[in-house]
Structure formats: structure tokens, C-alpha cells
Amino acid sequence: MLKGKDLLSIHELSVGEVETILDLAQELKAMQKAGIEHRVLAGKTLGMIFEKSSTRTRVSFETGMFQLGGQALFLSNRDLQIGRGEPIKDTARVLSRYLDGVMIRTFEHSKVEEFAKYADIPVINALTDLLHPCQALTDLLTIREHKGKNLEGLKMAYVGDGNNMTHSLMYAAAKTGMHFVAATPADYAPDAEVRRRAEEDAKETGASIALVTDPFAAAKDADILVTDTWASMGQEAEHEARKKIFAPYQINKNLLAVADKRAIVMHCLPAYRGEEITDDVMESFADVIFDEAENRLHTQKAILALLMAD
């Protein structure tokens, strides 16, 4: 179903493909926990291109390839001619002759799209300023584990900046029949085109997409509360200004009190405790949040296996 394809956006996946990724991720996680080898990518090599640094992305992809029997090559701008001005389309065509797949973590989404256009191997978006599909799929797996396999009808409330996580969670909710509400300051709302596409996706599953400015309206009766850092990588100069703007958008005990009493809290990490989430709430839901972090490994293994296995 997914063999040989790219994974740039959850929007480009079918409902069935999302389910396939999640099912395989659960299976691979169970196999790892049971000590059962699953070397389905023996002899395969993944190139990992990083323009943005990372903890979870690098370690999970590199470990995942090892557990699947393949190998991963870490490639920074300093390691590639692309960092010295070689056209993306040339680098894509060269690496296609050496590798079996590429994951890219960068700033502009257009770079990943151009690379995928000229590459003859699967390309995985490991984060751009627009989208973070691997993390959002990981979040779906984590919600499954804590809320059950059927996600249809659950309410997910995102509170904070209308960033790449907001966008990908919109798509994720739309593909699985969840009701998604994002609460952001008016000037930091999610991208209008992403919202339009998510609303189109939602028609297939009965999901809904809503944007508000009141975090308490978003969190009311929510099954899942999600947040992210207020200043993403590349926005460090805005951090102090953003702290003032986003202060009302903190996940704390008061916000949690209006959610469903069985609600879970999620954060893709790194977390700035005392800013987007309080330390006490972070610790109260540490099991969920660090399951979420671990699940990057299992979800990405599923993606790699589906895209790259023979």
C-alpha cells in the first residue's frame, strides 16, 4: 500500500494508510518488547538529512533502522554539498543512487517537496516549519494505547501556537474521526490552507475542525489536551515576546479542570516547564508523555518498513 511512496504530510495519506501505519507500529512495539527480531530492512540504508538539530528524531530513526536490520547515515549541512549551494534536485538524484530512503528535518517545507520530486527513493518528512507528520502519527498511536483503538468521536484540544504540530494534528484528527479544536492567539492561528484541507479530510470520517481564541472553550470536555513550545526552533529571538502573548495558553490545573475527568495530556517535547505546561501537570502525565516520546521509535519503524521493505 505504501511501498516506495513518500511521507510528506498526513493529508496525503488515505484513512486506510493511517490505520496500517498505526497497526504495524503496535505490532512492532509488541515484537520488540517480546524480544522478537524483525529485521525487515536488512541491507537497507537510510540517509538522515538534518538542517535542524534534534534529540528524539535522530535517536529514534537511527535506532529504528538498526532494529529493523538496516543502517542509518547522519548527514548535516556540513556533510553535504547541498550546504554549499548544490541544487536540491541534484543532491536528490545523487543520493537516490546510493540509498534506499531519505528522511529530512529542515525549515522550509518546499525543500522536502522539491527533494521528493527529484528523488527515486522514499522521502520522509521528519519535520518542517509547516508540518511534523511523524510526531502526529506517534500521537495517534499513544492515544490508541491510552484511549482504545477506536479514536472516532474523541475530542482533542490543542492549546498554544498554531504551528507545524497544530497542522499535523489537524490532519491526524481528520483522518481518524476525532473532533479537533485549536486555541491560539488570533495572530498565531494555524495556516488557512491547512485548515481547509483538514476540513475536506474530515468529511470522510465525520471529524470536525474548529479554531478558537479561548483555551477554556477548547479544553471543555476534551479527552486529550496537547501543547507544544511557544517558540519553535528558529524563533528564539521571539521567545520573550511570545511568553507574554501566550501566557493565557498554558496547560495547568485550571485548564485541566474543565476537560473530561479521564483526559490525558500530551507534549511532543522538549517541554519548557512553567511556560506552555506547568511542572505539576507535566509530572502528573509523565507516563503518557514519555510513552509518546518512546512511540516515535515504533511509529517511525512502521513508516520505514512500509515504505522501504521489499
Side-chain angles (χ1 to χ4, degrees):
M1 182 186 290
L2 283 161
K3 179 174 169 52
K5 292 187 177 181
D6 303 316
L7 201 163
L8 307 187
S9 168
I10 295 173
H11 171 65
E12 296 167 1
L13 298 173
S14 69
V15 171
E17 287 170 336
V18 170
E19 289 296 311
T20 296
I21 292 169
L22 299 179
D23 288 344
L24 182 57
Q26 286 187 303
E27 181 181 342
L28 292 174
K29 183 173 183 177
M31 291 174 73
Q32 182 189 330
K33 300 298 184 185
I36 301 170
E37 285 197 352
H38 41 283
R39 298 169 61 83
V40 298
L41 294 183
K44 303 280 188 178
T45 304
L46 175 73
M48 306 192 306
I49 299 175
F50 283 86
E51 289 191 332
K52 285 189 175 185
S53 60
S54 168
T55 298
R56 281 151 289 276
T57 299
R58 178 177 178 180
V59 175
S60 57
F61 267 107
E62 197 161 332
T63 301
M65 277 300 291
F66 175 79
Q67 292 179 358
L68 292 169
Q71 65 173 337
L73 300 177
F74 175 80
L75 304 168
S76 73
N77 269 4
R78 295 183 299 275
D79 302 311
L80 297 172
Q81 293 297 334
I82 198 171
R84 301 181 182 90
E86 181 177 47
I88 291 172
K89 60 185 177 182
D90 292 353
T91 300
R93 287 183 282 203
V94 169
L95 293 184
S96 293
R97 307 293 182 102
Y98 301 146
L99 304 170
D100 301 288
V102 168
M103 60 124 286
I104 305 175
R105 182 178 171 93
T106 187
F107 293 90
E108 299 93 340
H109 191 72
S110 59
K111 287 186 176 180
V112 174
E113 292 178 321
E114 184 177 0
F115 198 101
K117 178 180 178 180
Y118 289 98
D120 296 325
I121 54 177
V123 176
I124 300 167
N125 175 8
L127 178 141
T128 65
D129 286 345
L130 183 67
L131 297 172
H132 198 355
C134 293
Q135 181 65 60
L137 289 166
T138 292
D139 291 355
L140 292 180
L141 176 63
T142 308
I143 296 167
R144 268 191 175 198
E145 291 179 341
H146 289 271
K147 290 292 185 181
K149 184 173 180 178
N150 182 16
L151 307 184
E152 186 175 343
L154 293 177
K155 180 181 178 181
M156 176 190 288
Y158 176 92
V159 178
D161 187 20
N163 60 13
N164 51 8
M165 274 310 304
T166 325
H167 297 155
S168 286
L169 287 171
M170 269 189 191
Y171 287 148
K175 294 290 183 179
T176 53
M178 286 194 285
H179 301 300
F180 179 87
V181 184
T184 70
D187 292 338
Y188 295 85
D191 180 83
E193 179 61 16
V194 170
R195 179 186 182 182
R196 185 193 66 77
R197 290 175 178 174
E199 289 173 338
E200 285 296 314
D201 290 344
K203 293 176 182 178
E204 182 179 354
T205 62
S208 63
I209 306 295
L211 304 181
V212 298
T213 56
D214 181 357
F216 286 89
K220 183 173 174 54
D221 299 325
D223 300 289
I224 305 109
L225 289 175
V226 191
T227 191
D228 190 12
T229 178
W230 291 337
S232 298
M233 203 173 296
Q235 298 173 334
E236 289 82 1
E238 304 173 32
H239 195 175
E240 289 304 313
R242 282 172 170 262
K243 281 170 65 174
K244 296 176 183 178
I245 294 167
F246 285 97
Y249 294 84
Q250 181 185 74
I251 293 187
N252 52 36
K253 284 184 177 179
N254 291 335
L255 192 67
L256 192 58
V258 304
D260 184 88
K261 64 181 180 180
R262 296 156 298 181
I264 59 173
V265 174
M266 300 176 68
H267 193 308
C268 63
L269 302 178
Y272 294 86
R273 299 171 186 234
E275 293 186 16
E276 72 272 7
I277 188 169
T278 57
D279 185 72
D280 59 330
V281 172
M282 179 83 182
E283 288 301 322
S284 294
F285 292 92
D287 287 349
V288 178
I289 291 167
F290 290 102
D291 281 349
E292 181 184 3
E294 177 189 340
N295 283 339
R296 284 289 297 276
L297 172 65
H298 309 298
T299 304
Q300 288 162 184
K301 282 167 66 177
I303 292 166
L304 291 166
L306 289 164
L307 267 56
M308 294 171 56
D310 292 329

